[in-house]
Amino acid sequence: MKVVALVSGGKDSCYAMMKCIHYGHEIVALANLLPVDDSVDELDSYMYQTVGHQIIVGYAECMNVPLFRRRIRGSSRHQKLSYQMTPHDEVEDMFVLLSEVKRQIPSITAVSSGAIASDYQRLRVESVCSRLGLVSLAFLWKQDQTLLLQEMIANGIKAILVKVAAIGLDPSKHLGKDLAFMEPYLLKLKEKYGSNVCGEGGEYETLTLDCPLFTNASIVLDEYQVVLHSPDSIAPVGVLHPSTFHLEKKGNPDSNSPEEESSLVSEVLGDGPNTSDSTRQRDNGIVDLGEHTSNRLHISKTEKHNTFSICCWLEDSSVSSTGLKEDLETVLTELESQLLKRGYNWQHVLYIHLYISDMSEFAVANETYVKFITQEKCPFGVPSRSTIELPLVQSGLGKAYIEVLVAIDESKRVLHVQSISCWAPSCIGPYSQATLHKSVLHMAGQLGLDPPTMNLRNEGAIAELNQALTNSEAIAQSFNCSISLSAILFVVFCSARTKQSERNQLHEKFVTFLDLAKSSRRVRNVLDPMFLYILVPDLPKRALVEVKPILYVEEDTETEDETSRDQSSEGDYSFWGYKPEKWHQDCVQKRVVDGKMCVTVLSISAELMRKHQGEEEQLERVSRFCVYLLNKTLSENSFSWQDMTSLRIHFSTSLGVSVETLSDIFASAFRELNEMSGVKVGSSKEPIFNLVPVLGAGNSCASLDNIITCELFALRS
């Protein structure tokens, strides 16, 4: 991509440019924001480093790249973490600056910044990029600061300290000192006081005088003054004010004429483009549902009052010739209507399962999706998402099927990083990496993508799995947890294109990864995760594997592994004549965590049914057995059906039965349970379960012969 680099003069923005080059991008312009008054060194800004701005003009000649500069007119008006367009905010100066760069150089598609740990800065750069249709590149994001500092110095960043503001740093001693000279001392301060070795806590700022990108010249600081801002005896604050400097040519000293040098620098004035035009609300996508379409719509909903799932799908019609776009618009419109009818909207949605009939139309599905679910509609953060191709049409469904998990409160915590970085895959659009709500971390489906390139690992399913797990671990660490310690359930979607030989190894490799991660941590409380492997026709980007982890991350929990497995109580649950038998345990995986959550995976294979159900293999009997075991598991662990947040029933297409037929069969089983138990389960209008057609499922990828797999989540309020 052709990139405009935001430069402050500091080591981070310069090294971020070097990383852009490393990953195959091209720096075609520089952009810098500076104070209105040239004599002012530092502004009271939450966003921008301005100390040393007097020297940035030299960067254009050093790199032989055009430099666009704008004077900062705004201030920090919108100080909440997530930025919303605010007139006269300093972020709007960046918007005007980058708008002009894009106007003059239309080929630019990305913006580079040196963000390492500041969500405040990253989110504002991402906001501006989103408004301008640009990609944010933040290759230093979440990198280990000690290693990063070593990397910068080893790779030729020549920088000096131009501001100090931390215990152990003295303006009279340390301003103007070379970064390489200061490195050992900065490491000592980290060990002694816990300071950020890269200065991410405001401990110090730097000015880069030379680096490998400065191919034409380096900067020589001739004279400077030390300006003391605060004489505090513990952590004095001071800045270095450059008085005079010159450029020392590299190579041919006559490479640029004075006219060429001056033409490289331009100042951006004015107010920029019409902000309302650039941020105009997109078509909200709402479509009018005709009578024929309405008759094809189906809804299911769980009954928990504060956290519940709603599922919407279309019954296929032989006379219908609608495509994926039309079906998805219809389903999203109906879901939005269902939310509004209950007094909620998209901002209350935690997670979205997006099922489509043909992954080759993923771009169409995404374009339709973003018309409905936008960051503007979700001020507390956009939902996390998993996108899977399923055999929908073969099972009597339309081309789009969606399940949403809804919470009526606003306590969710969303991680949404749109920048491409070395940390984890970016989510460029209205879907987030993970959402934490009531101690449950719902992570988006993770592919085996190499974060800085966003390309799939091309060495096969095992390599993709390892990368997907590495990505999942990076996301988990942002919530101070680990997939090796806190995972309750891993749902692993496996493409039908995966070789059987690789499928046979997936579970072993998965467990090995977790064991290695676990061995590096000394902790007492470790959850023992369950595994559910699901065979599907295709995945995004033609991936072979997609991992969807669900974690329990409540702080200071006293949960022990053994108690999380079995908290059973006695009772009589012998409906339909079933009596507890030892082999029933082979069908059920369950985890009860801290008495608050019950997660159950119930697996019914064809062999199991033949072995234990005699000659009668009718689906009615299978459905009753499933409902019996689920009811028994909930009741024994002191949960009720009203605690259930979701019930997904995956069924194999080898059954040769439509969703409509199977839905009637399970609905009948629940009605019978109501009559026998006297406890109301579900309603007559909407089922409480979602039927999901798959090619196969199982507890191991080597054996995907389940005909029915139930995945149940229950939370006690």
Side-chain angles (χ1 to χ4, degrees):
M1 291 187 285
K2 293 187 184 299
V3 178
V4 53
L6 289 169
V7 291
S8 64
K11 65 186 186 322
D12 302 339
S13 58
C14 286
Y15 194 58
M17 287 193 288
M18 292 174 63
K19 299 293 277 187
C20 285
I21 302 296
H22 174 77
Y23 288 114
H25 306 294
E26 180 185 1
I27 306 295
V28 298
L30 307 176
N32 170 249
L33 290 128
L34 69 158
V36 172
D37 186 346
D38 283 334
S39 65
V40 172
D41 290 300
E42 186 174 37
L43 297 177
D44 183 18
S45 170
Y46 291 177
M47 269 297 292
Y48 309 119
Q49 172 187 325
T50 57
V51 179
H53 66 84
Q54 299 89 345
I55 287 178
I56 304 301
V57 67
Y59 278 31
E61 184 179 345
C62 289
M63 294 180 63
N64 195 28
V65 169
L67 168 65
F68 295 81
R69 309 189 82 187
R70 177 175 174 81
R71 298 187 184 275
I72 303 168
R73 300 176 181 178
S75 58
S76 304
R77 290 175 177 258
H78 190 286
Q79 297 180 8
K80 293 182 179 179
L81 184 60
S82 293
Y83 181 74
Q84 293 181 346
M85 186 191 70
T86 303
H88 309 299
D89 191 279
E90 60 185 352
V91 174
E92 298 308 310
D93 288 301
M94 185 200 305
F95 176 79
V96 174
L97 174 63
L98 293 179
S99 297
E100 180 61 18
V101 176
K102 186 181 178 184
R103 188 189 69 81
Q104 292 197 31
I105 311 177
S107 61
I108 284 176
T109 56
V111 176
S112 168
S113 68
I116 298 176
S118 171
D119 283 303
Y120 184 93
Q121 293 174 351
R122 173 186 60 79
L123 287 166
R124 278 152 178 73
V125 173
E126 290 177 352
S127 173
V128 170
C129 286
S130 178
R131 290 161 62 186
L132 292 172
L134 298 171
V135 176
S136 171
L137 303 177
F139 289 118
L140 310 189
W141 180 250
K142 291 288 187 183
Q143 297 302 291
D144 180 277
Q145 291 187 41
T146 299
L147 297 178
L148 191 56
L149 183 62
Q150 294 171 356
E151 255 186 59
M152 290 179 184
I153 295 169
N155 284 290
I157 293 285
K158 308 294 183 185
I160 60 171
L161 270 63
V162 292
K163 178 184 177 181
V164 295
I167 186 171
L169 291 174
D170 186 335
S172 63
K173 292 181 181 179
H174 300 126
L175 287 176
K177 290 293 188 294
D178 184 78
L179 186 63
F181 172 80
M182 290 295 297
E183 182 193 11
Y185 186 65
L186 293 172
L187 291 172
K188 286 182 181 178
L189 293 182
K190 176 194 173 188
E191 293 300 317
K192 190 171 183 179
Y193 302 115
S195 55
N196 293 278
V197 74
C198 277
E200 281 300 289
E203 292 88 348
Y204 69 93
E205 292 176 2
T206 59
L207 180 65
T208 302
L209 303 179
D210 196 11
C211 74
L213 299 182
F214 290 7
T215 54
N216 282 4
S218 60
I219 297 170
V220 178
L221 187 59
D222 298 315
E223 295 180 3
Y224 64 84
Q225 296 174 314
V226 172
V227 180
L228 193 63
H229 281 188
S230 168
D232 186 271
S233 60
I234 298 176
V237 179
V239 301
L240 181 151
H241 176 79
S243 301
T244 60
F245 72 96
H246 72 275
L247 301 185
E248 193 168 275
K249 293 281 188 176
K250 297 180 180 179
N252 182 3
D254 300 318
S255 57
N256 285 341
S257 66
E259 292 78 12
E260 289 174 327
E261 293 167 12
S262 61
S263 67
L264 287 173
V265 182
S266 58
E267 184 169 351
V268 176
L269 304 171
D271 296 325
N274 188 313
T275 305
S276 60
D277 289 343
S278 61
T279 58
R280 184 178 291 132
Q281 185 81 352
R282 282 178 272 203
D283 173 19
N284 64 14
I286 302 298
V287 297
D288 182 34
L289 302 180
E291 182 180 351
H292 175 68
T293 300
S294 298
N295 291 337
R296 295 173 57 211
L297 276 168
H298 294 270
I299 293 288
S300 67
K301 178 186 173 296
T302 54
E303 297 184 308
K304 188 172 175 61
H305 71 283
N306 57 4
T307 309
F308 53 88
S309 61
I310 305 178
C311 190
C312 183
W313 69 95
L314 283 163
E315 179 186 336
D316 191 24
S317 171
S318 57
V319 299
S320 170
S321 59
T322 57
L324 173 62
K325 179 177 182 293
E326 292 79 8
D327 281 5
L328 186 53
E329 284 178 340
T330 300
V331 169
L332 285 165
T333 297
E334 177 62 20
L335 278 171
E336 188 159 273
S337 173
Q338 291 287 330
L339 288 169
L340 291 172
K341 185 166 66 177
R342 293 168 170 84
Y344 311 120
N345 52 47
W346 292 113
Q347 75 179 19
H348 295 96
V349 175
L350 305 176
Y351 200 96
I352 296 179
H353 288 87
L354 173 60
Y355 303 130
I356 59 177
S357 61
D358 186 352
M359 195 56 72
S360 67
E361 294 190 85
F362 177 80
V364 174
N366 230 22
E367 289 170 8
T368 307
Y369 180 94
V370 301
K371 291 179 182 178
F372 288 81
I373 300 152
T374 66
Q375 295 183 61
E376 291 77 18
K377 291 181 181 178
C378 304
F380 306 111
V382 290
S384 303
R385 189 182 84 180
S386 174
T387 306
I388 307 293
E389 179 182 323
L390 293 180
L392 300 177
V393 176
Q394 299 94 306
S395 304
L397 298 173
K399 298 177 177 66
Y401 181 136
I402 294 182
E403 177 192 337
V404 298
L405 181 64
V406 183
I408 67 172
D409 60 40
E410 298 170 352
S411 65
K412 68 178 181 180
R413 177 184 159 200
V414 174
L415 177 65
H416 183 204
V417 178
Q418 299 185 70
S419 300
I420 294 177
S421 69
C422 299
W423 163 72
S426 64
C427 288
I428 305 174
Y431 32 89
S432 59
Q433 279 89 353
T435 301
L436 178 64
H437 181 257
K438 303 294 186 186
S439 303
V440 183
L441 184 63
H442 305 272
M443 201 178 293
Q446 295 299 309
L447 303 178
L449 293 170
D450 176 46
T453 64
M454 291 297 286
N455 293 328
L456 274 175
R457 293 286 299 271
N458 59 10
E459 302 95 334
I462 304 300
E464 284 189 28
L465 175 68
N466 280 327
Q467 186 65 59
L469 292 175
T470 300
N471 296 339
S472 300
E473 179 66 7
I475 294 168
Q477 287 179 6
S478 296
F479 292 87
N480 299 316
C481 63
S482 167
I483 61 170
S484 64
L485 308 177
S486 303
I488 308 161
L489 172 65
F490 290 102
V491 179
V492 185
F493 297 100
C494 189
S495 167
R497 295 183 300 105
T498 309
K499 298 175 183 177
Q500 185 63 50
S501 58
E502 287 199 295
R503 279 192 223 163
N504 294 340
Q505 301 177 59
L506 277 178
H507 187 66
E508 178 186 349
K509 298 296 183 182
F510 202 133
V511 173
T512 299
F513 182 98
L514 296 180
D515 286 344
L516 286 173
K518 201 178 297 182
S519 65
S520 65
R521 296 167 177 264
R522 294 183 177 180
V523 293
R524 186 168 61 90
N525 298 329
V526 179
L527 295 175
D528 183 21
M530 299 180 289
F531 297 88
L532 173 58
Y533 292 85
I534 299 175
L535 187 65
V536 297
D538 205 358
L539 294 166
K541 293 182 175 285
R542 300 284 285 167
L544 299 175
V545 175
E546 179 174 324
V547 180
K548 188 184 71 170
I550 297 114
L551 283 66
Y552 184 80
V553 296
E554 186 168 33
E555 296 178 356
D556 302 323
T557 178
E558 294 298 322
T559 303
E560 295 283 357
D561 180 33
E562 292 303 316
T563 58
S564 71
R565 287 175 176 232
D566 189 5
Q567 296 183 356
S568 301
S569 59
E570 296 296 328
D572 181 15
Y573 315 109
S574 54
F575 303 119
W576 292 293
Y578 290 116
K579 296 289 185 182
E581 296 187 42
K582 190 174 182 180
W583 66 269
H584 291 180
Q585 298 174 11
D586 298 333
C587 304
V588 179
Q589 298 182 79
K590 73 172 181 190
R591 295 294 180 270
V592 178
V593 185
D594 209 24
K596 297 178 181 178
M597 173 190 297
C598 178
V599 183
T600 304
V601 175
L602 169 60
S603 303
I604 308 295
S605 67
E607 180 183 358
L608 187 68
M609 293 309 299
R610 283 194 299 269
K611 182 176 180 181
H612 294 287
Q613 298 295 330
E615 296 298 321
E616 186 181 16
E617 294 182 26
Q618 297 176 345
L619 281 174
E620 288 84 354
R621 185 163 177 80
V622 174
S623 67
R624 290 168 185 158
F625 183 64
C626 289
V627 172
Y628 157 73
L629 283 181
L630 292 174
N631 182 70
K632 179 174 180 290
T633 301
L634 286 171
S635 301
E636 285 182 340
N637 293 280
S638 302
F639 286 83
S640 72
W641 288 100
Q642 282 66 42
D643 294 321
M644 186 178 71
T645 60
S646 67
L647 173 54
R648 225 167 276 122
I649 302 177
H650 308 274
F651 71 96
S652 171
T653 52
S654 64
L655 285 172
V657 64
S658 70
V659 167
E660 183 181 12
T661 299
L662 196 56
S663 181
D664 288 341
I665 290 171
F666 269 92
S668 176
F670 276 107
R671 282 195 300 270
E672 292 175 20
L673 176 65
N674 282 341
E675 294 169 2
M676 289 183 291
S677 66
V679 177
K680 185 180 179 183
V681 181
S683 69
S684 58
K685 294 182 179 179
E686 299 165 346
I688 60 172
F689 53 85
N690 307 331
L691 288 169
V692 184
V694 298
L695 299 181
N699 299 338
S700 167
C701 205
S703 178
L704 298 169
D705 61 348
N706 287 359
I707 59 170
I708 297 288
T709 307
C710 301
E711 182 187 351
L712 181 149
F713 284 80
L715 290 172
R716 189 174 289 120
S717 299

